[in-house]
Amino acid sequence: MDKLKKHRRFRRLIQFLNGILTNANFTGFITGQIYTAKLKQFCVPGMNCYSCPGALGACPIGSMQAFLGARHPKFAFYVLGYLSIIGVLVGRFICGWLCLFGLIQELLYAIPTKKITLPERLDRWMRKLKYVFLLVFVILLPIILRDEFGMSAPYFCKWVCPVGMLEGGIPLVALNEPLRAAAHLLYAWKMAVLIVIVLASIFINRPFCKYVCPLGAFYGLFHGIGFLKLGCDEKACVNCGACSKVCTMQVDPTKTPNSPECIRCGECVKSCPTKALAFSFMGKEKKDGEGLASDRAE
């Protein structure tokens, strides 16, 4: 378990450093101004609010909605291609290693309190919701619902995304008096969504990732065909259940190692006493102790 703890600490350090790197416009947190230079035209690989005062890049989900909701609608080839390349290469590895909001959820879950396990049937049904958010709020509504000028709102960012509220809404409103005066029902609604996700994260591990996040839903679609795969050696497996017990996303790696729910955090590999689990990239297998950056760091 010491190896697992070291691995977890290292992974969370990477998540934290990536959060700092992608939000390195530190003067924005003082002036309340959003960074708008050319770098902002490029998407970061994970969820990170465009409106965060420190954000140096654009959120891929926000960018997708912006393209689809333009006056002259065209398929967002740049954003879709960019996300598809990431999906094919590493899938939800981004969720497990680079997502700052994922780290925040994990730290909230670490608060000592009685945890909640949803009934399996309810949990399975709720996990489909993130695909509904992807299809309806990110793709369909920006195309269908437009104003009199032919423009569309970023519906997921506007009505759902707690990341935007935490990183963008709260600091911007706190730093700008005009925005505080204009913050009414929509702001209260988004604050309520954020509070619900924060409270849920104390009792349920990564609820936003499991039930809401459209980016995780998109990346997960590539796990069956992607380059990065997780495999289980059935001959070496002793069915001890150690891997499924440590899984943040409640996946059984011995049964569905390439489930779209897997965030490629690698904790199952580290917990396996017989080294039955291993990652492979483009068919080249990486046994425990070879394949992850934390091993080299140790």
Side-chain angles (χ1 to χ4, degrees):
M1 292 301 290
D2 288 339
K3 185 166 61 173
L4 175 60
K5 290 179 180 179
K6 289 180 180 179
H7 175 82
R8 183 176 295 166
R9 285 198 295 266
F10 180 79
R11 181 174 64 85
R12 289 178 176 176
L13 175 62
I14 296 298
Q15 288 174 284
F16 175 75
L17 292 177
N18 181 69
I20 296 296
L21 178 64
T22 54
N23 294 285
N25 181 44
F26 303 121
T27 57
F29 292 105
I30 299 174
T31 62
Q33 300 298 313
I34 299 175
Y35 177 81
T36 57
K38 289 185 176 180
L39 188 61
K40 202 63 173 285
Q41 298 175 9
F42 297 95
C43 298
V44 296
M47 294 286 286
N48 196 73
C49 184
Y50 181 97
S51 297
C52 176
L56 295 178
C59 172
I61 291 299
S63 297
M64 177 69 77
Q65 294 170 97
F67 274 98
L68 295 175
R71 180 178 299 179
H72 302 289
K74 58 182 178 180
F75 205 66
F77 289 111
Y78 155 62
V79 180
L80 182 63
Y82 171 74
L83 296 180
S84 297
I85 289 173
I86 294 176
V88 168
L89 289 176
V90 295
R92 294 191 74 178
F93 174 90
I94 303 299
C95 307
W97 285 84
L98 298 182
C99 182
L100 179 61
F101 197 68
L103 171 62
I104 292 172
Q105 291 175 85
E106 289 185 13
L107 295 178
L108 287 169
Y109 188 74
I111 296 174
T113 184
K114 187 175 181 180
K115 305 305 178 182
I116 295 175
T117 301
L118 296 181
E120 183 178 351
R121 186 174 180 180
L122 176 61
D123 175 74
R124 187 168 58 250
W125 178 84
M126 289 183 63
R127 290 189 191 232
K128 296 178 182 178
L129 289 175
K130 58 182 174 288
Y131 298 99
V132 175
F133 284 118
L134 173 62
L135 178 63
V136 176
F137 283 83
V138 177
I139 298 175
L140 293 181
L141 288 182
I143 294 175
I144 297 172
L145 297 184
R146 299 172 179 273
D147 59 23
E148 63 271 23
F149 303 104
M151 301 297 290
S152 177
Y155 290 97
F156 182 80
C157 300
K158 183 176 180 179
W159 293 101
V160 182
C161 188
V163 183
M165 187 62 186
L166 179 65
E167 296 181 356
I170 292 177
L172 284 179
V173 168
L175 294 169
N176 292 274
E177 176 61 35
L179 290 180
R180 286 198 295 274
H184 296 302
L185 290 179
L186 180 58
Y187 188 84
W189 164 254
K190 288 294 297 292
M191 180 64 77
V193 172
L194 175 61
I195 291 173
V196 168
I197 294 296
V198 168
L199 292 177
S201 299
I202 298 175
F203 305 101
I204 301 172
N205 211 340
R206 281 186 175 241
F208 177 74
C209 305
K210 290 176 180 175
Y211 309 126
V212 182
C213 183
L215 186 59
F218 184 86
Y219 284 150
L221 295 175
F222 295 89
H223 276 198
I225 61 173
F227 292 169
L228 180 64
K229 291 185 179 298
L230 178 64
C232 177
D233 184 347
E234 295 182 359
K235 295 181 180 179
C237 178
V238 294
N239 296 309
C240 64
C243 56
S244 58
K245 288 179 182 177
V246 301
C247 181
T248 299
M249 301 296 287
Q250 294 174 288
V251 173
D252 186 345
T254 65
K255 296 179 180 179
T256 54
N258 294 295
S259 165
E261 298 297 319
C262 174
I263 58 173
R264 302 307 199 218
C265 66
E267 294 194 0
C268 58
V269 177
K270 293 296 179 180
S271 67
C272 181
T274 63
K275 298 185 179 180
L277 295 169
F279 282 107
S280 64
F281 188 78
M282 297 183 68
K284 185 176 180 181
E285 188 173 282
K286 298 292 185 180
K287 289 290 186 182
D288 183 23
E290 296 179 359
L292 293 171
S294 58
D295 298 306
R296 294 191 292 270
E298 293 170 17

